[in-house]
Amino acid sequence: MPALFLYEPRMLLRTVVTHLVTEENATLQAFQTLPHLTEHVRGSSADSRILLVGMGGAGGMASDLLRFIREVKAIKVKTLVWIPAQYPWMRKLLNTLYVAKIIDEDNLATALQPALQELIGTGTRTVLKRPHAMAQHPRRITLTELDILLQFASGLSSREMADSRQCSYKTIFSWKHNICAALNINTYAQWLEMLAEIVQLTSMYHAGNSYGPL
């Protein structure tokens, strides 16, 4: 059985997930704060690790959580995320960050166990993929590109980012182009929708209310 790590600041959903997972006799470590989560996931010696994340409750930690989700790919952690249905662009972003499974938050009670069992099962067998199937995988976003996207969402301009990174404006534009290609963003309106979803998630819960709605 893999080591399971849960990050869900909202008390009600954290209780629901804990009940669903432990009902299957799986061990689970639940965390309310991101620093404690990252410390335990990185420090775990388990051969197989699965990260369970309630993205809708991240609040002010959303940007750091997205970075962590991207970073843990390097240590072979599988990630399962639930997110409100009204965030289609965020779902696309999570797909480019190597998230293994994404489910709708409204369907958490029925979708969590099947999704988790699917991830646990993939660790016990080798799946051979044909070359044409591999080509259909979405382009992944690098950590640098993710940082650029998050800085755009925070309100920084391309010029400001170029100055702070001591690079050219064209380099920032190139990173932005790669982000848009990965997310299949084709218009400026879609770009603004993507940024708006990040801002909404970030401001949904304030740091002083880390538990979210009860």
Side-chain angles (χ1 to χ4, degrees), residues 90-183:
M90 182 57 62
R91 182 182 290 266
K92 287 187 177 183
L93 175 59
L94 291 168
N95 274 324
T96 68
L97 301 181
Y98 294 93
V99 171
K101 201 74 178 177
I102 305 170
I103 58 180
D104 288 336
E105 188 173 284
D106 291 343
N107 300 327
L108 186 60
T110 56
L112 178 62
Q113 287 181 339
L116 181 56
Q117 288 303 316
E118 183 178 333
L119 290 190
I120 292 174
T122 57
T124 61
R125 66 180 186 276
T126 300
V127 180
L128 298 178
K129 299 177 180 178
R130 292 174 294 179
H132 77 273
M134 295 178 65
Q136 296 174 355
H137 286 182
R139 182 196 175 281
R140 307 302 186 178
I141 285 181
T142 67
L143 272 172
T144 298
E145 290 165 352
L146 176 60
D147 279 334
I148 292 296
L149 174 60
L150 294 174
Q151 287 182 328
F152 271 117
S154 72
L156 289 181
S157 69
S158 298
R159 295 291 183 187
E160 290 171 329
M161 280 185 270
D163 290 341
S164 66
R165 291 174 176 271
Q166 297 184 331
C167 64
S168 70
Y169 172 81
K170 290 183 178 179
T171 300
I172 300 296
F173 180 82
S174 177
W175 278 324
K176 180 181 177 181
H177 178 270
N178 291 341
I179 295 166
C180 290
L183 295 173

Side-chain angles (χ1 to χ4, degrees), residues 2-6 37-38 40-53 68-81 97-101 119 122:
L4 304 180
F5 303 89
L6 168 64
L37 170 76
T38 60
H40 282 78
V41 172
R42 288 171 176 148
S44 173
S45 59
D47 293 334
S48 178
R49 285 165 283 184
I50 296 179
L51 176 62
L52 311 177
V53 177
F68 180 64
I69 288 173
R70 178 60 179 81
E71 288 172 0
V72 295
K73 171 61 173 65
I75 55 176
K76 299 180 180 179
V77 176
K78 298 175 185 177
T79 308
L80 191 163
V81 177
L97 301 181
Y98 294 93
V99 171
K101 201 74 178 177
L119 290 190
T122 57

